[in-house]
Amino acid sequence: MQTRKKHIFLTFLASWLLLFFFGGDQLRRFTFFSGRKAEARRNWPSWTDRSLLKSFADPEELQSDGDPSLPSPRARRAARLSVYKNSRCRMETCFDFSRCKKHGFKVFTYPRERDQPISESYGKILASVERSRYHTPNPEEACLFILSIDTLDRDHLSGQYVRNVDEKIRSFPLWNGGRNHLIFNLYSGTWPNYTEDLGFDIGQAILAKASFYTESFRPGFDISIPLFSKDHPQRGGERGWLYQDSIHPKKKYLLVFKGKRYLTGIGSGTRNALHHIHNGKDIISLTTCKHGKDWEKHKDTRCDKDNVDYEKFDYQELLHNSTFCIVPRGRRLGSFRFLEALQAACIPVLLSDGWELPFAEVIDWGKAAVVGNERLLLQIPSAVRCIHPERVLAFQQQTQFLWDAYFSSVDKIHLSGLWQIIKDRLLPHRSRSRFLWNTLPGGLLALPDFSTHLGDFPFYYLQRGRTPPALAEHSKLSACHNTYPLPAFSGSSPSEKFTAFIRAISPSISLSQPILRLIQAVSGSQYCAQILVLWSCEKPPPPSEKWPQTTVPLTIIQGRRKLSDRFFPYAAIQTDAVLSLDEHTSLSTSEVDFAFVVWRSFPERIVGFPTQSHFWDAEQRRWGYTSKWTNELSIVLTAAAFYHRYYHSLFTEYLPVGLRELVDGLAACEDILMNVLVAAVTKLPPIKVTQRKQYKETVPQQVGGCKDGDAGAAPAGGQSPLPQHSPPAKVKGTAGAAGSRRISQQQDCLNQLVDWFGYMPLVSSQLRLDPVLFKDQVSVLRKKYPRLEKP
């Protein structure tokens, strides 16, 4: 037993001796020198080559934690919490949906106080709301409320800064802690930190803000908007700079920037580094220190040279001639040059870390901009050089679409973007898909109340696999004649049948009247599904036995005796295609068949027979309107025209009530408005098809016993006669005076529509489509549409 204890003791002692001899040195170093090593790490780096580093940066600056003027994360967090006390707000928690159920999406603006100044930009926002179809003067009907207090500029140093906002908004009885309110802001914070501080508590209000930090943004609740200047147009706006025939295969410059350089403070780091990528050839990066009152006190050794180089280039010329434009952050995250680059089709290269891009909830900016990293500036030139030319062109085209659809005017920023996003949140099961938002014609013009299925709209059949008949026929021919095959599309073609929609204003029906012959001709078409007659007389329509017997259903609809009635979205219209007709129109079955075949290839356009055109009258400084037979056309009258039934919904639900009232008060204004609407949506002209020679305008006559109600003081009892297709002869007496008065009203209508849209939407064209062998020396009996040439 003693021997065993002795062996155990010796083994234990030997183990300690081995541990001491082989590991003791490391233990001693860890125990006695760990404090010294920690001290050395705290003093790192210990600069021994200060002479080499002196020309680049001061060692004290390198050992500092950064720009002392920049707010720390804790300071930014504290400023954010002071503004966003309800930082967890979502639509489900901070918005009262019940206010929007009874009257729909209605917006109420607070009455303006006389002594309360309003900036020009905020005045445009309020005007955009008040003239929209969503505005209501009754707060009880409102779903959303907008303050009359200008909150756009919350910089304490600005002359437009409004004080005591908190006290004012809390005194409003409708404020309710900000619930169901929308607050606008373009500039927040002030020198030197430019934090998100607005100077008042927004409560549970939705914030529509420019230069939004992602860390402050409340997803699904707040909305990021672009920064726009006070000169941004109220409506319409200028077109983008990329035209169909102006696409350069390779522009002069690859990458450009011209702007201010901040010597100190927030935003200075990125702009101070931009000179590193300037090569003076295809990459131009110009900055100037010459801004502000005391710029000379802070200028560095580069300022003088930079200021000289800055003046050598014109900013607009750089935008026109560059493929990519650098959009760095300024004092705030956003800048005016973002919209300037979009308009110029200069692909934005964004260097603004943490920026929630405008309308990023619905817009796919990856298709229109390059999002860079401020810390990886030197990699930007090589990155943009690697982008394939085809993708560059796709980027440029998308910049033009986004500019025109959402950003070219204050109206579009709010009507096309802001209101539609909020409406989609209220009814998420009927919200627009990102495809609709990022594809022509845009989210505003794809009404979810009409349909949520892409195939029901006239714009998307190519993108979604619907084959226009013209392409289908070409594919068949290419297989036979070894021509280049077109891309294969799957799916059904646009509507294979049409609905004839005839507007009747005559008090009685007899076999001698043109409307009966028109019904017989239209019902004979193999593509006709039904005939609807819009009865616009005070007298009741004739009994069913007075109407001709047809092979398709014939339905009488009682109208409200208004000119705009013909474009109401009647539930009885079941087909995509609508053939709009006046009762005095004279067409043959062959003409109807051919026009419908043409329309099936162009379902987004108006396709028809009678045409008109517009022109700019330099002497009168206004737009003119003519029915002369010229090579160019821009209007196809709906007295005999095919179009998609979706335009009935756009006409009634998209256009404001004021424009429909204008149509009801002026003769033949409904034709012009429908053409202007379709041109504004598609950016395309209408299409004229073949007509017979005897197709002439009927001289309007007053019809006794049938008043057109509210159709206005239109001559000839409010009829819409067919246009002339030859130079008009001088007409004496009453008919000549009536015709002149009618043309004058049409010109007034056109100019008022241009004023509302903010630009001239109509597009001129010289295209006319005729059937094969039309007017050729071939027997009429051998032609597909023989009655087109029969007398």
Side-chain angles (χ1 to χ4, degrees), residues 3 75 309 371 575 610:
T3 305
D309 294 340
V371 181
T575 60

PDB file of all heavy atoms in Angstrom, residues 3 75 309 371 575 610:
ATOM      1  N   THR A   3       3.910   1.398  -1.049  1.00  0.00           N
ATOM      2  CA  THR A   3       4.595   1.471  -2.350  1.00  0.00           C
ATOM      3  C   THR A   3       3.695   2.130  -3.410  1.00  0.00           C
ATOM      4  O   THR A   3       4.147   2.948  -4.216  1.00  0.00           O
ATOM      5  CB  THR A   3       5.000   0.066  -2.811  1.00  0.00           C
ATOM      6  OG1 THR A   3       5.782  -0.562  -1.794  1.00  0.00           O
ATOM      7  CG2 THR A   3       5.791   0.120  -4.107  1.00  0.00           C
ATOM      8  N   ALA A  75     -25.732  59.502 -32.039  1.00  0.00           N
ATOM      9  CA  ALA A  75     -26.401  60.782 -32.263  1.00  0.00           C
ATOM     10  C   ALA A  75     -27.463  60.670 -33.341  1.00  0.00           C
ATOM     11  O   ALA A  75     -28.553  61.234 -33.239  1.00  0.00           O
ATOM     12  CB  ALA A  75     -25.371  61.847 -32.640  1.00  0.00           C
ATOM     13  N   ASP A 309     -10.704  74.147 -64.219  1.00  0.00           N
ATOM     14  CA  ASP A 309     -11.176  73.037 -65.051  1.00  0.00           C
ATOM     15  C   ASP A 309     -12.704  72.961 -65.069  1.00  0.00           C
ATOM     16  O   ASP A 309     -13.299  72.536 -66.064  1.00  0.00           O
ATOM     17  CB  ASP A 309     -10.604  71.718 -64.536  1.00  0.00           C
ATOM     18  CG  ASP A 309      -9.094  71.635 -64.700  1.00  0.00           C
ATOM     19  OD1 ASP A 309      -8.567  72.397 -65.538  1.00  0.00           O
ATOM     20  OD2 ASP A 309      -8.459  70.826 -63.992  1.00  0.00           O
ATOM     21  N   VAL A 371     -26.329  51.068 -58.831  1.00  0.00           N
ATOM     22  CA  VAL A 371     -26.201  51.431 -57.424  1.00  0.00           C
ATOM     23  C   VAL A 371     -24.804  51.048 -56.958  1.00  0.00           C
ATOM     24  O   VAL A 371     -24.466  49.858 -56.858  1.00  0.00           O
ATOM     25  CB  VAL A 371     -27.272  50.725 -56.563  1.00  0.00           C
ATOM     26  CG1 VAL A 371     -27.140  51.137 -55.103  1.00  0.00           C
ATOM     27  CG2 VAL A 371     -28.663  51.061 -57.090  1.00  0.00           C
ATOM     28  N   THR A 575     -66.775  42.263 -75.162  1.00  0.00           N
ATOM     29  CA  THR A 575     -65.586  41.975 -75.978  1.00  0.00           C
ATOM     30  C   THR A 575     -64.519  43.030 -75.744  1.00  0.00           C
ATOM     31  O   THR A 575     -64.802  44.155 -75.312  1.00  0.00           O
ATOM     32  CB  THR A 575     -65.954  41.938 -77.464  1.00  0.00           C
ATOM     33  OG1 THR A 575     -66.486  43.223 -77.853  1.00  0.00           O
ATOM     34  CG2 THR A 575     -66.996  40.864 -77.737  1.00  0.00           C
ATOM     35  N   PRO A 610     -62.652  57.998 -90.557  1.00  0.00           N
ATOM     36  CA  PRO A 610     -62.559  59.458 -90.689  1.00  0.00           C
ATOM     37  C   PRO A 610     -61.409  60.016 -89.867  1.00  0.00           C
ATOM     38  O   PRO A 610     -61.217  59.647 -88.705  1.00  0.00           O
ATOM     39  CB  PRO A 610     -63.910  59.944 -90.144  1.00  0.00           C
ATOM     40  CG  PRO A 610     -64.363  58.877 -89.218  1.00  0.00           C
ATOM     41  CD  PRO A 610     -63.827  57.587 -89.753  1.00  0.00           C
TER      42      PRO A 610
END
